[in-house]
Amino acid sequence: MGLQAYLLLAAAVFAIGLFGVLTRRNAVGILLGIELMLNAVNINLVAFSRFNGDLAGMVFALFTIAITVAEVAVGLAIVIVIFRVRKTVEADRLDLLKG
Amino acid sequence: MQTAVFFAIAAIAVASALGLIVRRNPIHGALFLVVNLGSVAAIYLMLNAQFLAAAQVIIYAGAIMVLFVFAIMVLIPGKEETGPDPLRPFRLVAIPFGAFLLVEILLMLVVRPAPPREPPGAEGGAEAIGRLLFTDYLFPFELTSVLLLAALVGVLALAKRKA
């Protein structure tokens, strides 16, 4: 398969994830969409790494995975704290900072 | 043969991503994400990134998804996301922008010549990745451990009940 096919797949998954982030109203759903987007980026990194014959992209994909773990852990902890305080995880109703 | 396998895996990846978006129940979304992560791991295998495929299954499908399902079970947000969407008018704005992007992608596909089909031999086994990780990328590697420690401490501070 050519490089283009992988890039198109990554673009499609990224766009779907972005749509999810923008339309979901549940904070956990938004985090799920972010996971999709990060995965699409990883597909891009690995595909470019493979087709350029340079392993650096795969190493960076590994870093991305590690950073994603930290992001999900902190994000879910924040969501749980918000739920404990406000009794909701609906993003539209969390407008405490809205002027 | 390889093309058919790629299209099958890509179809599974896109379909599970769409399923994640369409189903309102977050627990279904999490299970669809597991399918998506598995198909992405298969894509990594097709790209000769064996180590990343293993790491994907162990870290994403193993650790992160357990965390997600756990959080969803604790929060029980199944009854959320009811009623009309207050941002519905904005969706109309998305149509011209989306059409513009689609035209752009199609233009790129038509105008640009195809890149080389035969990839050079880049093998992403554990040995090659590890060698690179502990020589050229030693500093980012150590920084990542600092980041993980910071996340660990931060999560503990957030999750602790007020004394």
Side-chain angles (χ1 to χ4, degrees):
Chain A
M1 288 306 298
L3 177 59
Q4 274 181 338
Y6 291 100
L7 297 188
L8 277 177
L9 171 67
V13 175
F14 187 89
I16 294 171
L18 183 62
F19 182 80
V21 170
L22 292 177
T23 55
R24 289 310 282 267
R25 281 187 280 162
N26 190 323
V28 178
I30 292 174
L31 277 176
L32 287 171
I34 292 176
E35 290 303 298
L36 270 187
M37 290 164 71
L38 285 164
N39 251 291
V41 172
N42 269 352
I43 296 176
N44 263 3
L45 279 173
V46 175
F48 276 124
S49 161
R50 169 88 173 113
F51 282 82
N52 280 332
D54 186 357
L55 281 179
M58 293 187 190
V59 175
F60 273 92
L62 206 57
F63 284 138
T64 316
I65 291 178
I67 289 167
T68 309
V69 176
E71 176 256 326
V72 167
V74 175
L76 283 177
I78 290 174
V79 169
I80 287 177
V81 171
I82 287 175
F83 182 71
R84 201 181 283 161
V85 176
R86 303 287 305 269
K87 301 291 175 229
T88 181
V89 288
E90 205 167 321
D92 287 339
R93 281 168 51 195
L94 303 173
D95 50 4
L96 206 63
L97 290 178
K98 202 172 182 178
Chain B
M1 177 63 194
Q2 210 191 1
T3 313
V5 172
F6 174 81
F7 276 112
I9 296 171
I12 293 172
V14 172
S16 58
L18 281 174
L20 194 161
I21 299 305
V22 171
R23 298 306 295 261
R24 297 275 93 172
N25 192 338
I27 199 82
H28 295 162
L31 296 178
F32 271 120
L33 189 58
V34 173
V35 177
N36 185 268
L37 295 174
S39 57
V40 170
I43 294 275
Y44 288 165
L45 276 183
M46 287 191 69
L47 286 165
N48 268 356
Q50 296 93 346
F51 180 70
L52 267 178
Q56 170 95 357
V57 171
I58 294 170
I59 299 174
Y60 263 114
I64 294 187
M65 290 324 298
V66 170
L67 202 62
F68 257 113
V69 172
F70 209 79
I72 292 169
M73 291 299 189
V74 168
L75 297 177
I76 327 169
K79 57 183 180 301
E80 304 270 350
E81 299 201 25
T82 48
D85 188 354
L87 292 177
R88 184 165 286 278
F90 285 97
R91 292 193 185 180
L92 291 178
V93 185
I95 295 170
F97 282 112
F100 179 70
L101 273 179
L102 193 64
V103 168
E104 208 171 16
I105 289 176
L106 291 178
L107 218 61
M108 281 289 286
L109 284 179
V110 172
V111 175
R112 294 273 297 177
R117 283 187 67 87
E118 279 303 307
E123 286 286 340
E127 191 191 340
I129 296 270
R131 197 175 294 280
L132 212 53
L133 208 56
F134 284 102
T135 53
D136 290 0
Y137 295 97
L138 185 61
F139 186 60
F141 180 73
E142 297 295 344
L143 276 184
T144 309
S145 59
V146 175
L147 176 91
L148 287 176
L149 180 67
L152 190 68
V153 175
V155 167
L156 277 179
L158 277 173
K160 205 173 73 173
R161 288 207 177 266
K162 291 277 186 296

